[in-house]
Amino acid sequence: MRDLVIYGGGGLGKEVLSHVRATDPQGAQWNVLGFIDDFLPAGTRVSGHPVLGGFDWLASRSHSTAVVMGLASPSAKADLYAKLKGNPHITFPAFVHPQALVESSAILASGTVVSPFCFIAVDAALGICSFLNVGSQVGHDSVLGDFCSVMPHADVSGNVTVGERTLIGAGAKILQGLSIGSDVMVGIGSVVLKNVSDHSTIMGYPARVVKRE
């Protein structure tokens, strides 16, 4: 049995805990130590597990520990991963809820979390610490970059390329064959019909750029 912690003690962290439990209902594989959270006091109870501490608690860990990101923010995930990957005792396993459907040819990088009722089609690829929330879909041959987050019931069609640290809002739809840049935010319910450049926020039907950094 391996020790495991969830980074983030909020609502998403609680959902991720439920995914972990679903993949290991007898508790034979994972010993869930608790949550890491930089804003909740150590000792706070979340879904029956303690908040162990913040970043420093985890960064100084000298025993083998699996970490699952319970955070939606792509930039926060990227920052934490960069800081933690140098610790040889920390690993980032992938978790796929048993009620998700992932084709055998799909590639899931370390730290990926796939929620229930998601579908990942043939030859799709998800980058490091990607997160698919409930009911989202990734079409054939699509590629999601590292640290992307896809919110509930969003659909990424086939042959779509999404850059790193991009967030796709709940219910958004992306047309097949498009290129979505890095550090993009796709607003809730948006319908994306053309390519999107890096550092853009897009919203609407059809989606239009409302902010560019």
Side-chain angles (χ1 to χ4, degrees), residues 19-36:
H19 301 348
V20 172
R21 287 172 171 166
T23 64
D24 184 30
Q26 304 303 318
Q29 183 177 5
W30 300 107
N31 174 35
V32 180
L33 300 178
F35 292 88
I36 305 300

Side-chain angles (χ1 to χ4, degrees), residues 81 91-94 108-112 126-130:
Y81 182 85
T91 59
F92 296 87
L108 307 182
S110 61
T112 297
L126 277 63
I128 294 169
C129 292
S130 297

Side-chain angles (χ1 to χ4, degrees), residues 3-60:
D3 289 345
L4 179 146
V5 298
I6 296 166
Y7 209 116
L12 190 60
K14 292 190 288 184
E15 288 188 9
V16 169
L17 172 62
S18 74
H19 301 348
V20 172
R21 287 172 171 166
T23 64
D24 184 30
Q26 304 303 318
Q29 183 177 5
W30 300 107
N31 174 35
V32 180
L33 300 178
F35 292 88
I36 305 300
D37 197 289
D38 297 306
F39 303 101
L40 293 174
T44 302
R45 304 292 293 186
V46 177
S47 294
H49 290 275
V51 173
L52 303 166
F55 174 82
D56 290 341
W57 186 97
L58 182 57
S60 62

Side-chain angles (χ1 to χ4, degrees), residues 11-190:
L12 190 60
K14 292 190 288 184
E15 288 188 9
V16 169
L17 172 62
S18 74
H19 301 348
V20 172
R21 287 172 171 166
T23 64
D24 184 30
Q26 304 303 318
Q29 183 177 5
W30 300 107
N31 174 35
V32 180
L33 300 178
F35 292 88
I36 305 300
D37 197 289
D38 297 306
F39 303 101
L40 293 174
T44 302
R45 304 292 293 186
V46 177
S47 294
H49 290 275
V51 173
L52 303 166
F55 174 82
D56 290 341
W57 186 97
L58 182 57
S60 62
R61 186 78 172 156
S62 58
H63 300 282
S64 178
T65 307
V67 177
V68 191
M69 296 288 190
L71 305 168
S73 168
S75 59
K77 291 189 292 182
D79 182 59
L80 288 168
Y81 182 85
K83 292 176 180 177
L84 292 169
K85 67 178 182 178
N87 185 329
H89 303 288
I90 292 176
T91 59
F92 296 87
F95 283 90
V96 177
H97 194 282
Q99 290 179 299
L101 175 58
V102 180
E103 294 287 355
S104 60
S105 60
I107 298 172
L108 307 182
S110 61
T112 297
V113 176
V114 180
S115 301
F117 312 118
C118 291
F119 173 61
I120 303 176
V122 294
D123 297 326
L126 277 63
I128 294 169
C129 292
S130 297
F131 176 71
L132 299 190
N133 213 322
V134 176
S136 58
Q137 301 185 65
V138 178
H140 66 85
D141 301 290
S142 287
V143 177
L144 269 62
D146 296 343
F147 313 111
C148 287
S149 291
V150 181
M151 294 295 102
H153 303 290
D155 294 335
V156 178
S157 299
N159 284 306
V160 171
T161 300
V162 180
E164 297 181 349
R165 301 175 302 277
T166 285
L167 187 144
I168 300 173
K173 315 291 182 186
I174 299 177
L175 183 68
Q176 68 270 12
L178 295 183
S179 176
I180 310 299
S182 296
D183 301 294
V184 169
M185 179 174 289
V186 179
I188 291 172
S190 296

